[in-house]
């Protein structure tokens, strides 16, 4: 039975990968809006029913994983950080090595990253995957700071961090924009710009 299940899971993974590869290829060649679900299914040599069985959320989900891996490395960044490193610094370093914030990616991942950043529907789906990690990240932050996971400030911090890829990812220099947001989160909002005296 274990061998049969293993084979079945491998087959599902192969089909899922074929769909992802086909979608990325077609989106890159024709643009996201110029490609239909039927074309992707045909390119991957599967039926439309099979496509939706593997990816019920539709074509915008085809080039993403389910978000589980994202949750794992976000939580690990918090829990496994060096003893003197703050939670926010750990998350900053973690994000800086991924997605729109690094150019140190294999060509295939760079192509996928650029497609996501330039396509509103894919950016929005990516944002949903980020925000879906809020509960897990809030729990990790709470555990490391001695607070209750339901504390609004913990949940807010987790949400703010998870919104950074969408906010900064399309800026001319995403890494600079990301760092500016983390600087703000670490220091708090100033009463007035630091280089201008307050007005009365």
């Amino acid at each position: 039975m274990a061998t049969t299940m293993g084979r079945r899971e491998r087959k599902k993974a192969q089909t899922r990968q074929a769909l992802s590869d086909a979608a990325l290829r077609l989106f890159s060649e024709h643009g996201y809006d110029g490609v239909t679900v039927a074309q992707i299914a045909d390119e991957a040599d599967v039926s439309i029913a099979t496509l939706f069985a593997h990816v019920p959320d539709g074509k915008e989900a085809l080039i993403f994983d389910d978000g589980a891996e994202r949750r794992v490395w976000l939580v690990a960044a918090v829990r496994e950080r060096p003893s003197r490193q703050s939670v926010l610094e750990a998350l900053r370093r973690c994000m800086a090595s991924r997605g729109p914030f690094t150019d140190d990616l294999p060509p295939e991942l760079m192509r996928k990253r650029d497609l996501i950043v330039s396509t509103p529907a894919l950016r929005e789906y990516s944002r949903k995957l980020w925000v879906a990690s809020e509960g897990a990240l809030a729990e990790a932050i709470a555990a490391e700071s001695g607070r209750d996971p339901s504390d609004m400030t913990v949940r807010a911090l987790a949400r703010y961090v998870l919104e950074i890829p969408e906010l900064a990812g399309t800026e001319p220099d995403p890494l600079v924009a990301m760092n500016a947001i983390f600087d703000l989160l670490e220091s708090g909002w100033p009463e007035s710009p630091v280089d201008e005296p307050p007005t009365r």
Side-chain angles (χ1 to χ4, degrees):
M1 176 65 73
T3 302
T4 302
M5 288 299 293
R7 230 179 359 252
R8 184 180 302 139
E9 291 306 310
R10 284 196 300 274
K11 177 63 175 174
K12 286 173 63 176
Q14 289 168 357
T15 301
R16 182 68 176 78
Q17 188 61 53
L19 287 165
S20 179
D21 291 345
L24 181 59
R25 188 162 53 248
L26 290 172
F27 292 162
S28 298
E29 291 173 1
H30 306 290
Y32 174 83
D33 291 327
V35 176
T36 66
V37 169
Q39 288 173 316
I40 296 168
D42 186 59
E43 180 79 4
D45 196 26
V46 301
S47 68
I48 293 178
T50 296
L51 183 151
F52 279 112
H54 284 80
V55 192
D57 287 347
K59 70 176 185 176
E60 63 268 33
L62 280 165
I63 63 172
F64 296 95
D65 59 26
D66 63 2
E69 182 180 349
R70 191 178 316 229
R71 287 191 292 278
V72 167
W73 53 254
L74 282 166
V75 169
V78 173
R79 291 183 174 162
E80 298 171 13
R81 71 192 193 283
S83 59
R84 295 183 179 275
Q85 189 177 78
S86 71
V87 166
L88 281 171
E89 183 58 26
L91 289 167
R92 182 199 297 253
R93 290 175 179 270
C94 179
M95 279 196 176
S97 65
R98 289 172 165 82
F101 307 117
T102 180
D103 288 327
D104 187 22
L105 294 171
E108 188 73 3
L109 289 182
M110 186 83 74
R111 187 159 64 108
K112 181 185 289 190
R113 187 274 308 274
D114 292 345
L115 176 67
I116 293 167
V117 169
S118 65
T119 307
L122 296 178
R123 282 206 318 273
E124 178 58 27
Y125 192 84
S126 178
R127 178 182 173 274
K128 289 179 183 178
L129 291 178
W130 281 105
V131 173
S133 297
E134 181 184 323
L137 182 57
E139 285 184 10
I141 293 172
E144 294 298 311
S145 58
R147 301 192 184 198
D148 191 300
S150 65
D151 183 331
M152 178 56 70
T153 61
V154 172
R155 290 165 50 205
L157 182 60
R159 174 67 67 90
Y160 294 156
V161 167
L162 296 171
E163 293 284 4
I164 290 175
E166 170 63 17
L167 289 169
T170 56
E171 289 295 303
D173 189 328
L175 183 60
V176 167
M178 183 207 78
N179 282 322
I181 297 172
F182 270 109
D183 288 346
L184 174 62
L185 292 177
E186 288 180 339
S187 64
W189 184 260
E191 288 297 318
S192 60
V194 293
D195 57 347
E196 296 179 13
T199 58
R200 296 290 183 188

